[in-house]
Amino acid sequence: MMQTPEYAHNMEIELKARIQRRDEVESRLSSFMHYIGPIDKLDEYWEVSNASSENSSGFRFRVRHELDRITITFKEKTFDGNVEVNHEFEFRIEGEPAFKAFIEKMHAHLIYQKQKKGSGWEDGTGLIAEVVEVSSLGLFLEVEYISNSLATSEQQEAKSRLYKVIDLCDIPRSALEPRPYSQLLGY
């Protein structure tokens, strides 16, 4: 699995598709990617209001609970059709109660939670695939490419690689879901 430093500042390009048959997609992934293990992620999305900002929603961040770690992430999102391009900042924390006390002092409030369970796959070059069931939304194949920085030409190559995974899994382009999970969940 791709190692991330204590603090990561990455570019992430991703897309997702709704799927019907988990076993078929996982079988296809196993023919060209390496299985990295089960996925169980509980994401909490928090917001700190910013009265002076033109953005009415304020600053949002994610607290991700995984089996062996807690990671804080915030993103600057852009969209290119079905593909999401994120400038992502993340770091791990050790003391969640202290962190929760800290964000409560900033008057942060929990917006929603999202649970994802499934399986993870990688190809060893920054390309990661996850077959996940997202609570109340169903089954998805998520494919992402992560890099420290991506020039425009690298972004185009990464997008091509994402679409190739979708094609190799025999998923029709009509199954691609361009909306972020937050929108699908109504937030």
Side-chain angles (χ1 to χ4, degrees), residues 5-153:
E6 184 68 27
Y7 169 78
H9 172 209
N10 294 315
M11 290 299 294
E12 170 191 73
I13 297 179
E14 65 181 59
L15 60 80
K16 65 181 168 294
R18 291 183 178 273
I19 61 172
Q20 302 301 315
R21 296 196 167 109
R22 173 186 301 209
D23 53 343
E24 287 180 17
V25 173
E26 288 177 335
S27 176
R28 290 180 186 274
L29 286 171
S30 70
S31 71
F32 62 94
M33 295 184 97
H34 307 287
Y35 177 72
I36 55 176
I39 292 171
D40 187 354
K41 300 175 182 178
L42 174 62
D43 294 342
E44 297 176 346
Y45 291 85
W46 291 79
E47 182 175 86
V48 179
S49 297
N50 186 354
S52 64
S53 173
E54 294 174 14
N55 181 356
S56 62
S57 64
F59 174 71
R60 291 186 174 187
F61 60 94
R62 177 183 71 205
V63 178
R64 171 166 283 167
H65 301 262
E66 291 181 87
L67 300 174
D68 61 346
R69 65 181 170 265
I70 299 172
T71 307
I72 311 303
T73 305
F74 66 96
K75 301 177 181 185
E76 296 172 0
K77 290 185 178 191
T78 57
F79 296 91
D80 181 7
N82 293 319
V83 179
E84 188 175 316
V85 180
N86 298 316
H87 193 188
E88 182 177 83
F89 302 83
E90 63 182 29
F91 57 94
R92 292 185 183 158
I93 60 169
E94 295 295 324
E96 184 183 16
F99 182 75
K100 291 279 178 83
F102 172 72
I103 62 176
E104 286 173 7
K105 288 287 185 186
M106 294 189 311
H107 303 286
H109 62 278
L110 180 64
I111 303 169
Y112 68 98
Q113 293 182 326
K114 174 184 74 196
Q115 179 90 38
K116 294 195 306 187
K117 292 185 178 188
S119 59
W121 306 80
E122 71 176 0
D123 75 347
T125 67
L127 194 63
I128 298 169
E130 296 180 349
V131 177
V132 292
E133 183 163 357
V134 180
S135 55
S136 78
L137 295 178
L139 286 172
F140 293 86
L141 171 62
E142 299 178 9
V143 187
E144 66 182 18
Y145 181 79
I146 300 172
S147 176
N148 290 334
S149 65
L150 287 174
T152 304
S153 61

